[in-house]
Amino acid sequence: MGKKRLMRGSHVIAEAATLAGCRFYAGYPITPQNELPEYLSGRFAKLEDATFIQAESELAAINMVMGASMTGVRAMTSSSSPGISLKQEGISYMAGMELPAVVANIMRGGPGLGNIAPSQQDYFQATRGGGHGDYRTIVLAPHSGQELVTLTMKAFDLADTYRTPVILLGDGLMGQMMEPVTFPEPIEPSALPKKEWTLDGAMERDSRLICSLRLDPFKMEQHNWKLARKYAAICERETEHESYLLDDAVVAVVAFGTAARIAKGAVNRVRKEGLKAGLFRPITLWPFPENEIRALTRSVKHILVFEMNFGQMVEDVRLSVGEKATVHFHGRPGGIISTPHEIADAITRLVYRHELC
Amino acid sequence: MCKKEELVLKDREGLSYTMSITKTIFSGFGGQGVLMMGYVLATAGMQEDKHVTYLPSYGAEVRGGTANCTITVSDDPIASPVASFPDFAVLMNTPSLMRFEGKVITGGTVFLNSDMVELRPKRGDVEVVAIPVNTIAERLGNARGANMVMIGALAQKTGLVSLDSVIKSIKEIFATKGAKVHEMNTLAIKEGAAFVEEQSSS
Amino acid sequence: MIKQVFKRPDALKDNIFHYCPGCGHSVIHRLVAEVIDELGIRGKTVGVPPAGCAVLAYNYLDVDMGEAPHGRAVAVATGIKRCRPDLVVFTYQGDGDIAAIGTAETVHAANRGERLTVIFVNNGCYGMTGGQMAPTTLLGQTTTTTPGGRIQLRDGFPVDLSQMLAVAGGSVYIERTAVTSPKNIIKTKKALKKAFKVQMDDLGFSLVEILSACPTNWKLSSVDSCKRIEDEVIKQYPLMVIKDTTGTHSGADEGA
């Protein structure tokens, strides 16, 4: 680990991507993630084997990433909510073609043009595939500067391992906030495992094809089941979460990303008053840590889901716990950043209303 | 200068807590060096091996209008980088005072640029430190160094970070600007510190 | 001793074309394969087929191929080429693909001077989806979505994408040909070869627009379809070298 550096979240993603061996970026400007391509354009200019393209559109950008990925290069794009909607075409194709790529979504308020304030309104879009067809994307939700380093680098590994697009789901606050971070040693692209499926010219081998078209429904079905098995394997192996002060908790707050950060502050506050609250933070939003949340209900009968939207992840929590606990919801859509005080209030009200102390 | 253990504060609900974590809001017009003050404080905190977060306002707000940022400095890992009620507010113009005066925690401190802000907080439960940072900076022949005067005053008054750390931080941050600039800024920081020291002893 | 004078090109797989009788794709596929053979680049060529009838080009061309979403072929090709400048990358696109849904990608790739070769097959309709109006459909031409013929007031003018691309700074060589007669087919092959060479010489963006028949959707015989191109389509889309600055380009540093 190197020296501590005070860095903006979007710069951290860009630096971590470079260290992970990413050598292709294409993107289109949109607030609040512009600092990411701005940083990367300078960073890549110093590398002989890296390509940065400011594309003419989000569509072009994601399709350039698709082409880059076909050659085996670690490739990424980034955007914010409206731009990610445009990229869904390419993400669906890449899921179908089994091409790795990392897509960072620094979410903002919506729907439509919305605003540029931090939001978590794209949870459904990210975790349900987002585009057309039967597929999923791995979704990672960092909540700190250092986690932006580890999860960005992990995103590239997961993408390559499973040959699938991975979404790094942050928000305006994660992108803009500065925190001290340390970086690991860089990974040289030449040191990465060789990919045996890339397009590099049919020299002394049969020609290869990367496509998502399968006109024969039986072949399409086979391919769909192949993807389904892959997704099942991901669910089994890759679920990640953080438990915070849950051992003796009677109320569990479930929140991800920035919301989890705020909720942690709230949990600390109510703990000072003697209320037994804890935080469950999904780090992978897909696969969702449903077994781990279900296990929580052995001791916790009330769960408060806090999201910066009007209720999306809460559906996954409800599906996970069934009748085993009561799921409450506190949400602030539109780009509002709740204060820890507000969430502490919500926890406190819940505790007293249900006489949990 | 306040000692850390003295800073046992009560927030609006009367909850008391010790100040192992402090949140400071910096606010002013774009161009007053508001974001830079926050960046210096966060860097100085990092150099003292404290946990820090720097949260800027951004987007439309950054371009031309008012700018603000929230800096958290803590001995322990920081849960939320968002300030419900900041402990300190550094307010460089009148709109900032109007926006943030009500947010500061009971017992907190408001640092005002008295060259730009004629009003004073209406509440009596916060300490007000008024510093003519522009006048001081101009006297030093460093008109653009008003924010450095302010950060010196803040560090001296609150003890959030040491003056040495602040000076070390600006040396690193302005590394490309040369020794002359560093000297001028160091002087501005020390003058800001001296101003609040003098005020509290008089 | 027997001398072989005609054979299947190495770059063409031994499959029977699925295209309709009289369709230009089969001829154009063969020309592309011959050019790849003659340039000796089969082992370093990557093709990007479009959505449309020619999506199945990979069943015939024996080179590495990566499919693109409708209209995005040059964007995908840009990603491939930028990562592997040593490869020869071509796209194969229809008129709807390149001049309607993919206009933005194409114009900007040409403007950046991407080292790509674009094979643009213009048959004046959306063949695979059933013969709807394309951007290149002639005024008055009947299609399934212009039952009384294309009307300028309602449907706009036929798009001349090649001319639009000619004004882009990064395009170097653009020619329009046809596959209606042996003479035109030979000219088309020459143009394709030149377009690949422009890329291999690192000069810039090259494109060959090929007027091609769609007898099924035009509801004409193969022979009448070729006649229609020569009598009517060529009036709107004359066969010509639209842009050729190969003589003035010095190579990679151009425009830097």
Side-chain angles (χ1 to χ4, degrees), chain B:
Chain B
M1 162 178 165
C2 314
K3 295 244 168 51
K4 199 168 220 176
E5 48 271 36
E6 292 170 2
L7 289 169
V8 177
L9 300 171
K10 284 184 184 299
D11 70 13
R12 285 182 180 170
E13 290 69 43
L15 299 176
S16 62
Y17 61 96
T18 53
M19 291 277 292
S20 70
I21 178 164
T22 52
K23 298 192 177 183
T24 309
I25 280 188
F26 296 86
S27 180
F29 289 129
Q32 285 186 305
V34 168
L35 299 180
M36 181 50 77
M37 276 192 279
Y39 187 61
V40 170
L41 174 59
T43 306
M46 181 177 75
Q47 291 193 340
E48 293 184 3
D49 271 333
K50 289 179 168 146
H51 294 269
V52 296
T53 59
Y54 166 103
L55 184 63
S57 62
Y58 62 86
E61 273 189 292
V62 174
R63 283 152 203 142
T66 61
N68 73 75
C69 59
T70 306
I71 284 49
T72 308
V73 180
S74 172
D75 294 334
D76 303 311
I78 297 163
S80 168
V82 180
S84 308
F85 308 110
D87 304 281
F88 306 115
V90 177
L91 308 174
M92 298 292 277
N93 62 9
T94 306
S96 299
L97 174 66
M98 291 159 82
R99 182 164 169 196
F100 290 112
E101 116 163 65
K103 302 251 185 206
V104 178
I105 203 164
T106 293
T109 308
V110 173
F111 293 80
L112 288 178
N113 173 4
S114 57
D115 284 327
M116 298 284 288
V117 186
E118 284 178 11
L119 297 174
R120 291 295 176 267
K122 295 188 192 79
R123 9 185 328 205
D125 60 344
V126 292
E127 188 179 353
V128 178
V129 181
I131 313 154
V133 290
N134 293 100
T135 309
I136 294 173
E138 274 158 35
R139 178 163 54 75
L140 298 173
N142 181 11
R144 294 183 59 197
N147 61 338
M148 293 294 124
V149 176
M150 184 57 101
I151 193 83
L154 176 78
Q156 178 69 23
K157 175 80 183 170
T158 63
L160 271 175
V161 289
S162 74
L163 277 188
D164 282 350
S165 302
V166 172
I167 291 165
K168 219 176 118 198
S169 299
I170 59 149
K171 187 166 190 183
E172 204 168 279
I173 294 166
F174 298 118
T176 57
K177 304 229 165 166
K180 177 81 181 142
V181 170
H182 180 64
E183 211 172 283
M184 297 287 280
N185 282 336
T186 304
L187 191 61
I189 288 164
K190 286 182 173 165
E191 281 296 306
F195 183 87
V196 290
E197 193 64 3
E198 206 171 289
Q199 263 201 335
S200 58
S201 59
S202 65

Side-chain angles (χ1 to χ4, degrees), chain A residues 290-346:
Chain A
E290 49 186 25
N291 295 333
E292 292 80 356
I293 289 193
R294 197 174 308 119
L296 201 61
T297 59
R298 282 200 285 268
S299 53
V300 173
K301 297 299 167 201
H302 288 271
I303 291 174
L304 175 66
V305 177
F306 165 47
E307 296 178 73
M308 290 155 73
N309 57 44
F310 62 63
Q312 298 190 18
M313 182 179 69
V314 65
E315 295 192 2
D316 284 338
V317 175
R318 287 203 174 107
L319 284 170
S320 304
V321 306
E323 301 294 313
K324 291 185 170 149
T326 311
V327 177
H328 310 264
F329 178 71
H330 182 87
R332 292 301 296 269
I336 297 288
I337 309 171
S338 296
T339 59
H341 176 76
E342 178 189 322
I343 308 310
D345 246 18

